[in-house]
Amino acid sequence: MVGFGKKLKQSQIQEWQRYYIDYKFLKKKLNRYSQQIEVGTQGHDHVLKDFSRVLDSQIQKIVLFLLQKQGLLATRSAVLGNHHTPLLKHSNSNTLNIPVLQEAYRDIGRDLLKLLHFVEINATSLRKILKKFDKRFGYKFTHYYVKTRSNHPYSQLKQVFRHVAIGAVVGAISRNLAVLQNHQDSLVSIYDQPYLSHPDPVVESIHAAVNRLSFSTNFLQFREKHALIIHEDSTTPSEEHDIEDRYHFMSIVLNLVNTFLYMVNTYIVVPTADTYSFSLGAPATVCGVVIGAMAIAQVFSSVYFSAWSNRSYFRPLIFSSIVLFIGNTMYALAYDFNSITILLMGRLFCGFGSTRAVNRRYISDCVPLKFRMQASAGFVSASALGMATGPALACLFQTNFKIFNLTFNEETLPGWFMALSWLVYLLWLWISFQEPPFQTMEFNTPPEANTGLLVNDSVENGLSQPFLAITEAKQQNGDGAQQLDNGKQDSQEIHKPVTSIIMAYQLLTPSVKVQLFVYFMLKYAMEIILAESSVITSWYFTWSTNNVAIFLACLGLTVLPVNIIVGNYASNMFEERQLLLASEIMVCVGILLSFNILQSYTVPQYVGSAMITFVSAEVLEGVNLSLLSRVMSSRLSRGTFNGGLLSKEAGTLARVVADGSITLCGYLGEGMLLNVTLVPALFICVSSIVATCFTYNSLY
């Protein structure tokens, strides 16, 4: 494996070599600073100011060259424009010259691609050196440098980060190639009909590079990031061929169906959990424990299923289906046995059948890159659909009859229905699932991508600018005073998967910890709304099970529309860190509006505040997981303790705490339940806002 310094040199365009950031020089400066501080000749303040000056000089060199090249490209485009306008007006006599003009525009496009690659490499180098400074001297230099430079009116850092002028050149090339393709001076503009013609391959490549730089998104990309499936380095052709050999469409479908059914299983009992508990002689507020029992078991099951997926996918899915069949059967039988213990044991069994870690892992390892975005988006969409379907199904079970002394009513039918569903799924799984070969799927050190181009990365800490989510060789550089960039041993070490919780914790930077805390907060707020809804609405509004089920289904149905809006529009208009902070504030507003301060607590107040909190939390979840996938170490892309598992454990722990607090606070009385459970939610929310503000600049 070639180290980052050597790979950086190989990736550079030779004729532009003196205009790149001098990564080797900057590393030598760090070594010199380290020696000066050690002997006491220089202090931290001098080092900070001197290195800032050096970086400013390096960035100025990059920006001036960038502006010069952009001007040359714009001039060439303008000259060609002067030629092709009269040519199209006399198209009958000059059609032979049109291909020449098209090729000339493509040449400009290819040079623009080189310039975009130049920006990518320099952005990555800047991020790496900032990270090295922070790690070497234990100082948050990244935070200081971004804070003082990013919002300054004369900021040259912005020129690199936002690359506005490049967009104008891209637009000129795209428009002129589209006009030339039609061989006429058409009055119809690509601005009116963007998809009027098939895009030129060069333009497609440019748009892909620009999107990579700006981290532009759409709904599918947004949902993919929501799944937190962290991608590794670019795969070589042989690796991608191995993945295609493992790809099996029906197995993907079975994983998505598993995700859907499990979410239905989680939320189908919410509308009736309080009445079921009460019918078995327990307080209605025990519904918190009934609902949360699955989450308690998931804390442990996620780990063993994640480890099991290192060796097999088929066997964990089979085992899970059997456990879920047993758990739901126990849940249904608890009514006839009049036993709250059997009820809770059934829900615990259901939690032990959680294979979401396996589903995520299968998509990451066995789906080719060209289909992975759709599969990841499908994973999240299946979860959202299951979340809405569960409560909606509860509306259909308003009946009461017996067969062979087994009771079938609104409380037991969710268990019977899910038991039957898992039995059918088990048979389908046994017949149709295809276990992929595992001899090539063990944790080998990923080979180097030999293209020289830096591709998409789930970034580590440091500058997490949108375009800095570009994958470099994924490394945890800790070179100390030695230059270990091209050391084989370190390169192999940094690509080893995480095999222990201690190792995973050591890779959690402050930005990652804050994002995991934000994820904990939003899951806590959502669980409070969902889990106590039946008790709250029954106490204040005397709602029936049907009313509660419809309310919860409506909340669940907001998930996809909200993510379409955020994925297609909001995330392209605002920075993700801005959306993150705004969403946290809105969650806080929703929680504040939920408090019962006045004597009269109305349905509009409850429904409105719950909708604000839930929708804001949904927006927050998508943005949070997107940021998390970029600030989390790429070493967490594989292995037992991967990034997906860590985020799931944070969310599951939040649900456990929320459900437990509902039951504990229930002993104070149902009338006090709402306010008492909202107090910790408000405290956690405010804490997350403060923590986000402290790490805000690291998400630039």
Side-chain angles (χ1 to χ4, degrees):
M1 180 74 187
V2 178
F4 175 70
K6 192 170 181 180
K7 173 165 285 210
L8 176 63
K9 190 173 182 180
Q10 292 173 350
S11 303
Q12 293 176 352
I13 300 168
Q14 292 305 312
E15 58 266 32
W16 297 353
Q17 197 165 18
R18 64 195 180 100
Y19 299 107
Y20 286 89
I21 191 170
D22 196 338
Y23 185 74
K24 186 175 181 180
F25 165 73
L26 293 174
K27 285 187 63 180
K28 287 181 178 179
K29 291 288 288 183
L30 293 187
N31 292 334
R32 190 175 302 125
Y33 291 146
S34 182
Q35 294 169 1
Q36 290 173 347
I37 291 175
E38 188 175 343
V39 298
T41 57
Q42 297 292 350
H44 279 84
D45 289 343
H46 174 270
V47 168
L48 183 71
K49 293 178 181 178
D50 187 60
F51 195 60
S52 298
R53 179 187 58 80
V54 173
L55 273 185
D56 289 341
S57 176
Q58 291 285 319
I59 291 172
Q60 177 176 283
K61 173 181 68 175
I62 296 166
V63 169
L64 293 179
F65 177 76
L66 185 62
L67 293 174
Q68 177 190 355
K69 286 297 180 181
Q70 288 173 354
L72 291 174
L73 291 175
T75 302
R76 287 168 59 189
S77 179
V79 171
L80 286 179
N82 293 334
H83 284 84
H84 95 254
T85 301
L87 182 67
L88 290 176
K89 290 181 179 179
H90 305 88
S91 57
N92 293 333
S93 58
N94 297 284
T95 53
L96 293 177
N97 292 328
I98 288 178
V100 177
L101 272 176
Q102 287 177 319
E103 192 58 34
Y105 275 117
R106 291 189 186 102
D107 285 340
I108 298 177
R110 294 184 188 101
D111 288 341
L112 181 58
L113 277 172
K114 289 168 63 178
L115 193 61
L116 292 171
H117 183 221
F118 172 82
V119 176
E120 286 184 355
I121 292 176
N122 282 294
T124 303
S125 302
L126 179 61
R127 179 182 140 221
K128 294 292 291 186
I129 204 65
L130 285 168
K131 180 181 175 183
K132 281 182 179 295
F133 190 100
D134 288 351
K135 190 168 185 178
R136 179 74 64 82
F137 300 104
Y139 186 87
K140 293 183 179 180
F141 179 73
T142 298
H143 177 83
Y144 159 77
Y145 194 77
V146 171
K147 182 179 179 180
T148 54
R149 267 69 174 172
S150 62
N151 295 317
H152 196 278
Y154 305 131
S155 171
Q156 292 178 323
L157 199 62
K158 271 188 176 181
Q159 293 288 337
V160 182
F161 288 178
R162 302 306 176 205
H163 50 274
V164 178
I166 290 179
V169 181
V170 174
I173 296 171
S174 302
R175 189 186 72 83
N176 291 322
L177 278 174
V179 171
L180 287 170
Q181 184 174 333
N182 293 324
H183 289 206
Q184 58 182 349
D185 192 13
S186 174
L187 295 178
V188 180
S189 168
I190 62 168
Y191 300 112
D192 299 321
Q193 299 185 30
Y195 304 108
L196 178 66
S197 59
H198 297 290
D200 190 275
V202 173
V203 176
E204 281 190 326
S205 299
I206 293 171
H207 284 313
V210 170
N211 285 340
R212 211 164 53 237
L213 283 172
S214 62
F215 215 75
S216 294
T217 187
N218 59 33
F219 176 62
L220 278 183
Q221 291 171 329
F222 190 75
R223 298 306 282 169
E224 178 196 25
K225 292 180 287 185
H226 203 153
L228 199 61
I229 296 172
I230 302 176
H231 304 307
E232 297 183 274
D233 292 333
S234 62
T235 54
T236 62
S238 60
E239 286 179 307
E240 188 63 21
H241 183 266
D242 288 340
I243 293 176
E244 289 183 358
D245 287 343
R246 297 196 292 269
Y247 176 68
H248 183 240
F249 176 75
M250 187 54 69
S251 298
I252 292 292
V253 172
L254 283 163
N255 272 278
L256 296 181
V257 171
N258 182 280
T259 299
F260 169 76
L261 286 178
Y262 192 80
M263 291 303 291
V264 172
N265 207 152
T266 301
Y267 291 100
I268 196 172
V269 305
V270 173
T272 57
D274 59 334
T275 57
Y276 201 173
S277 302
F278 188 76
S279 67
L280 298 180
T285 51
V286 173
C287 68
V289 174
V290 174
I291 297 168
M294 278 186 76
I296 294 171
Q298 284 177 37
V299 173
F300 306 99
S301 66
S302 296
V303 177
Y304 74 71
F305 273 124
S306 181
W308 200 351
S309 65
N310 294 336
R311 302 183 300 277
S312 173
Y313 298 110
F314 179 64
R315 288 192 290 273
L317 291 174
I318 288 289
F319 176 78
S320 163
S321 302
I322 295 172
V323 169
L324 283 159
F325 171 76
I326 295 172
N328 281 289
T329 302
M330 292 176 67
Y331 181 87
L333 289 173
Y335 188 90
D336 292 305
F337 282 95
N338 195 30
S339 172
I340 190 70
T341 303
I342 295 178
L343 180 73
L344 294 174
M345 289 295 295
R347 288 292 285 178
L348 281 172
F349 262 74
C350 291
F352 282 122
S354 172
T355 55
R356 287 173 63 83
V358 179
N359 303 142
R360 274 196 184 100
R361 184 71 175 277
Y362 187 89
I363 293 172
S364 177
D365 289 349
C366 302
V367 177
L369 193 59
K370 58 186 177 182
F371 301 129
R372 198 169 298 160
M373 182 188 297
Q374 291 89 333
S376 301
F379 172 81
V380 180
S381 298
S383 299
L385 186 59
M387 184 179 181
T389 304
L393 284 173
C395 295
L396 307 178
F397 299 146
Q398 305 303 305
T399 186
N400 191 350
F401 60 92
K402 283 195 173 189
I403 300 178
F404 300 115
N405 292 325
L406 296 178
T407 303
F408 295 84
N409 58 22
E410 64 177 10
E411 294 159 357
T412 63
L413 274 171
W416 291 121
F417 176 81
M418 292 311 305
L420 178 62
S421 299
W422 286 113
L423 182 60
V424 173
Y425 175 80
L426 178 62
L427 296 174
W428 183 17
L429 182 71
W430 186 271
I431 295 169
S432 303
F433 191 86
Q434 180 177 302
E435 179 80 280
F438 267 76
Q439 61 270 21
T440 59
M441 295 174 58
E442 299 303 326
F443 303 129
N444 298 325
T445 301
E448 175 197 358
N450 55 12
T451 60
L453 293 177
L454 305 176
V455 291
N456 196 12
D457 184 13
S458 305
V459 299
E460 301 129 81
N461 189 32
L463 280 178
S464 298
Q465 296 85 352
F467 72 94
L468 287 187
I470 301 163
T471 334
E472 54 209 71
K474 298 188 175 174
Q475 304 180 42
Q476 299 292 324
N477 282 327
D479 56 354
Q482 303 176 0
Q483 298 186 15
L484 298 175
D485 276 331
N486 53 3
K488 270 188 181 178
Q489 184 176 355
D490 281 358
S491 295
Q492 291 176 354
E493 179 67 25
I494 59 176
H495 283 282
K496 288 181 180 178
V498 177
T499 55
S500 71
I501 190 65
I502 296 176
M503 189 184 300
Y505 183 79
Q506 290 172 345
L507 293 173
L508 300 184
T509 59
S511 295
V512 176
K513 291 175 182 176
V514 169
Q515 293 308 306
L516 287 174
F517 180 62
V518 171
Y519 191 66
F520 176 94
M521 179 274 291
L522 70 92
K523 285 296 182 183
Y524 183 93
M526 292 172 74
E527 189 70 12
I528 286 292
I529 292 173
L530 297 173
E532 70 178 14
S533 59
S534 57
V535 178
I536 296 300
T537 55
S538 175
W539 176 262
Y540 288 104
F541 319 125
T542 62
W543 278 8
S544 66
T545 300
N546 268 353
N547 296 134
V548 178
I550 292 171
F551 169 66
L552 294 177
C554 289
L555 284 180
L557 288 173
T558 63
V559 174
L560 289 180
V562 165
N563 280 278
I564 288 174
I565 294 171
V566 176
N568 283 338
Y569 303 105
S571 59
N572 288 327
M573 296 169 61
F574 305 98
E575 293 181 36
E576 286 183 328
R577 61 176 184 162
Q578 293 173 334
L579 290 174
L580 181 83
L581 189 56
S583 300
E584 287 180 272
I585 293 172
M586 288 306 299
V587 170
C588 188
V589 170
I591 293 173
L592 286 171
L593 292 176
S594 298
F595 278 94
N596 179 21
I597 300 174
L598 303 175
Q599 289 185 349
S600 175
Y601 194 61
T602 63
V603 172
Q605 180 185 351
Y606 175 75
V607 173
S609 59
M611 191 68 72
I612 291 172
T613 306
F614 191 85
V615 170
S616 301
E618 265 301 317
V619 174
L620 179 59
E621 182 174 6
V623 177
N624 167 254
L625 291 180
S626 175
L627 285 169
L628 193 57
S629 70
R630 294 195 285 117
V631 300
M632 189 172 282
S633 168
S634 56
R635 286 188 64 190
L636 294 168
S637 63
R638 301 196 82 177
T640 300
F641 296 93
N642 53 67
L645 175 67
L646 294 179
S647 64
K648 179 173 174 56
E649 291 292 85
T652 303
L653 185 60
R655 290 175 54 206
V656 170
V657 175
D659 293 328
S661 66
I662 291 171
T663 299
L664 290 175
C665 296
Y667 287 105
L668 299 176
E670 294 181 22
M672 297 184 64
L673 179 64
L674 178 66
N675 287 347
V676 175
T677 53
L678 287 176
V679 169
L682 180 62
F683 174 77
I684 295 171
C685 185
V686 172
S687 300
S688 75
I689 293 173
V690 173
T692 299
C693 291
F694 274 107
T695 58
Y696 188 72
N697 285 312
S698 68
L699 302 174
Y700 178 69

